[in-house]
Amino acid sequence: MKRLIQRVRARLAPGQRQPTSEELLQQFHANGCKPWTPGYDLYKWDAITRCINAETPFSQVVGTPRFGYRIDERIVEYGWLFERLPAGPGVMLDAGSALNFAPIITHPAIASKRLFISTLAPESHAFWNLGVSYVYEDLRESCFRDDMFDVIACISTIEHVGLDNTMLYTADTRLAEDRPHTYLDLVDVLRRLLKPGGVLFMSFPYGAYKNHGWFQVFNAEMVTAVIDRFGPASHEETIFQYADDRWQRSTREQAKDATCFDINVQKEYDADMAAFSRGIACLELVK
């Protein structure tokens, strides 16, 4: 999941004044903080921006009461990534375009690097004026040379590989696939693109396996398959779970039954008001 879900937007009558950001946030809170309703993006990005720029380390705040309350998994994926991302210069690939947002692109840990973004199709916004380079391609057939990148971030992307990407991300009907096992092909490519000693940061939904058609939830066997296929010199695995109105650290066993709420398909919210994934696996793999 990269561009995430189609937003549920307010419908304004002709001539009606567009609400201010403050008014949208007030409306969002007044309506019970329901994910994907008007004001959700503002609420989410305010929380994410504070999280990745806070002096208190992410590892100390994740799991505290209402951390990431009714916010999708991006808040733990970004928090986890920025706590581990090497400081200073380097050549970096965003494999899937999950970093293509202003608070992320302008963060010092990203801004100090030469950043390339590889994704299926152009998006509604780009940061070429900040020196970001964009390539539109199927990552399984990447145009980049071997051993090019010091760091690769592949955030909530591998779960879409081999599935129907025409639902949200591209109009190319060749990418309306049903080949869920080809996710390991992407692991091969990303390893090839990394320099020796380079680091791949990868995240994806974790829990009870389910193929949703346009993405899949990975189970424990699939996590192991990713690690084994990459063959890291060293690695670290972190599992996060949304439960008790917060995002918190978990384990494979504790989160093995985690599921996803898909606003594109489900007509009613679940009781916990989870925004999307309830389990996330994050892997730091060193070549």
Side-chain angles (χ1 to χ4, degrees):
M1 184 179 66
K2 55 174 181 160
R3 217 34 49 212
L4 281 180
I5 316 302
Q6 59 187 18
R7 278 29 172 190
V8 179
R9 301 191 182 278
R11 296 182 178 180
L12 299 177
Q16 184 176 349
R17 181 179 65 84
Q18 181 71 38
T20 65
S21 295
E22 183 177 350
E23 289 170 340
L24 276 174
L25 280 172
Q26 290 175 348
Q27 178 183 350
F28 177 74
H29 285 282
N31 289 338
C33 298
K34 295 180 180 179
W36 313 113
T37 58
Y40 172 73
D41 273 359
L42 291 169
Y43 168 73
K44 164 185 166 177
W45 279 102
D46 176 67
I48 289 172
T49 302
R50 286 187 285 108
C51 174
I52 65 175
N53 291 291
E55 293 184 4
T56 304
F58 165 75
S59 56
Q60 294 183 23
V61 297
V62 65
T64 56
R66 293 171 71 94
F67 176 81
Y69 177 67
R70 297 186 178 180
I71 297 175
D72 62 70
E73 59 269 28
R74 287 296 183 270
I75 194 164
V76 289
E77 291 172 314
Y78 291 142
W80 167 83
L81 174 65
F82 280 106
E83 190 167 53
R84 289 161 175 76
L85 192 63
V91 184
M92 181 174 181
L93 174 65
D94 172 8
S97 195
L99 307 185
N100 194 38
F101 296 91
I104 307 300
I105 294 294
T106 58
H107 190 283
I110 299 290
S112 62
K113 294 175 176 58
R114 184 181 179 193
L115 179 64
F116 293 81
I117 294 180
S118 173
T119 190
L120 286 175
E123 298 168 347
S124 60
H125 55 280
F127 299 94
W128 53 264
N129 58 314
L130 298 179
V132 179
S133 299
Y134 294 84
V135 174
Y136 305 110
E137 61 179 1
D138 183 335
L139 275 162
R140 293 169 295 182
E141 301 173 355
S142 180
C143 67
F144 295 110
R145 62 174 171 81
D146 294 1
D147 303 333
M148 180 170 176
F149 297 101
D150 299 289
V151 177
I152 297 177
C154 185
I155 304 300
S156 279
T157 296
I158 193 171
E159 67 268 27
H160 301 290
V161 171
L163 297 177
D164 186 0
N165 282 279
T166 63
M167 181 170 177
L168 293 178
Y169 306 128
T170 179
D172 187 346
T173 56
R174 294 173 299 176
L175 295 172
E177 301 179 58
D178 185 19
R179 299 189 297 153
H181 298 295
T182 62
Y183 68 92
L184 289 174
D185 295 345
L186 178 60
V187 177
D188 294 338
V189 172
L190 297 181
R191 190 183 194 284
R192 176 177 62 80
L193 299 182
L194 270 177
K195 295 178 181 179
V199 185
L200 169 63
F201 296 98
M202 176 176 281
S203 66
F204 42 83
Y206 173 78
Y209 178 77
K210 183 175 181 179
N211 184 339
H212 287 258
W214 63 285
F215 76 97
Q216 57 185 332
V217 179
F218 283 43
N219 60 20
E221 290 76 13
M222 296 168 76
V223 177
T224 298
V226 169
I227 296 170
D228 289 347
R229 188 66 165 253
F230 188 90
S234 63
H235 77 281
E236 183 176 340
E237 173 183 320
T238 307
I239 305 293
F240 296 102
Q241 187 173 5
Y242 186 80
D244 301 323
D245 290 335
R246 73 186 78 177
W247 278 102
Q248 53 197 288
R249 288 187 66 127
S250 188
T251 66
R252 288 196 194 187
E253 179 62 24
Q254 290 169 343
K256 67 179 181 180
D257 297 320
T259 59
C260 288
F261 166 75
D262 185 355
I263 187 67
N264 295 287
V265 176
Q266 294 181 236
K267 298 182 183 299
E268 301 291 338
Y269 288 98
D270 294 328
D272 63 354
M273 289 284 178
F276 198 79
S277 298
R278 293 181 176 87
I280 285 289
C282 296
L283 302 178
E284 181 178 352
L285 305 168
V286 179
K287 181 175 177 179

